[in-house]
Amino acid sequence: MKQSALVLLFYTLILSSGLFEAFGKDFSTPPRGWNSYDSFSWIVDEEEFLDNAQVVSSRLLPSGYEYVVIDYLWYRKNVKGSSSDSYGYDNIDEWGRLVPDPDRWPSSRHGKGFKEVAQKVHDLGLKFGIHLMRGISLEAVNNNTKILDVTTGLPYVEDGRTWLAGDVGLRDMPCGWMKNGFLSVNTDLGAGRAFLRSLYQQYADWDVDFVKLDCVFGDDFDKKQIITVSEILEGLGRPILFSLSPGTSVTPSMGEAISDYVDLYRITGDSWDNWNDVAAHFDAARDFAAAKQIGADGLHGNSWPDLDMLPLGWLTDPGVQQGPHRKCRLSLDEQKTLLTLWSMAKSPLMFGGDLRQIDDITFNLITNPTLLEIDSYSQNNMEFPYIFTGKSGSLADHAASKSPGKQLQVSNEPEQSILGLTSCNSERAKGWSITLQNRVKQICWNYNTKGRSTLSSCLHKRRPLMKSFKWNNEFIYRQKYEGMFQLLAQRSMKACLDSSTTQRHTASVRPSNLLSTCKWNANQLWRLSDDGTLINPYSGLCATMESAKDYENAAGPRSWIATGVSGEIYLSFFNLSPATTTLSAKIGDLSKVLSSRFLTNNSCNCYEVWSGKDYGLVEGTLSITVNGHGCALFVLKCTV
């Protein structure tokens, strides 16, 4: 029997035996489902959502796709003047909580929320999810709404006073890419925790099974908020999957800090249907695999680094106020590469295209039994560094390539310098110091060039302006940020260094600058530590400076390896170059990353998934010619 038929039979037996359902219930495998963002942006309505849910139930549920998720701004009116960052168009209840827009979600009228939608989803045998933004809406804070105490059903009272939204919304910590939308909540206050508890109790009352919390991770890291939400979810008495999004500038150490509190978390910016976005995921996937974060302990069992949705099939465009209107722009080879990497890295698989118009090619790709079996049940998933080009060529230099992250060019020197963000635990973050140039204090970066220490790049230091400070807690904020400063690229500029992106970025976008209009926000405040790190209190990340040439991302060959439940080895080759290339690996090199029980000799029986070709017994070197931006996926049986 062919290897593909064996895999299909194995997978079918797992599904029919109920094991898949059991795995899904204890969250021990990466979740799968459908999300509305790639096909509807934020304007999806009830009919469109339920139509897609029906297709998930009838066609994708047998392959483990069980979650259907409404993405962001389900509470916003889809009318003239509204947009993804407009103010004053949201539906908010008396307690400052967002509720579905009744024009788009008619079953939500009369205070029902998503209760009826969730019931219809559950009747289809699926689980229901919604996207959420950080903390509390700016509109609720400005309206100073009351806070619900869910234990009494009355306004929250503590220390003899009734607490309001304006008391708990942190105006110094807005969502960087939705400045008119949302603020962090002060979780040190009982009233702040009470507000968040009222939010998530409402979602539990709606029978929500999955929440995707945005703008609390990566550039907008808010560990306190993540932990508080996680603890609230645990106390609701029903399992709700907890996801974080997006993941711009995420580091493995940041993932490790929160993985116990969540089920999945994004490690890149948004992934769309262009090749650069696909290629940008290879470094992030490699780094989290190397840090043993794939399948680490999580909120309900395991946690999963998330490479974002599958932008395949019938799509819209990012940030537009328009539904699905075009086909995926990735070539078929590029789509196979995307799916193979996502599966080898055990990423959650959330399809993003409009399922009402799914074609057979796309359907067969996302239900490929070998990919799904790898995504759910493989182990020892990691990048394989011993691939080479040609049948006897030299090793490809790819394993040490660096993730570019967010960056700002701050020098016009021949060897340009790039400012970026990284974990404060990294040695790359150390090297900042105060210097006096022309009687002006500056924060400068020193790095070693050709064996000598060279003053490379400087930023101008100034105290934050407080004259526009009109908040009730001005004194508290002054104390909180005592000794911190703002940074300007040029002394005369009115734009300050900002740690948080001012717009939602795709995975491959490298912002041309990190400057925004100077204002009293935590994302523009910095502190210089004794160890030479320049830390931002908003994200907890530190600034670093490197040569621009360090960020050149060569398009070359890559490879991943994993092992299966029956002793098989999965080996994938990826050709990131646009030119057709022969890629090879020596069978003997597999033992350098796998234990001896998977490899007892220098030969393997080999089957390639995408071509369907059975290579039989392969000895010595495994080679295949791969199209530009394409891949190969081998299933190897190497034991005797």
Side-chain angles (χ1 to χ4, degrees), residues 457-475:
S457 299
C458 295
L459 296 161
H460 293 267
K461 173 177 177 280
R462 80 167 197 186
R463 295 183 63 185
L465 299 178
M466 302 281 287
K467 61 183 180 182
S468 61
F469 218 137
K470 299 178 182 179
W471 310 336
N472 295 335
N473 296 323
E474 174 180 345
F475 178 74

Side-chain angles (χ1 to χ4, degrees), residues 20 33 411 452 483 557 566 574:
F20 191 97
S411 173
R452 64 180 185 278
S566 300
F574 299 98

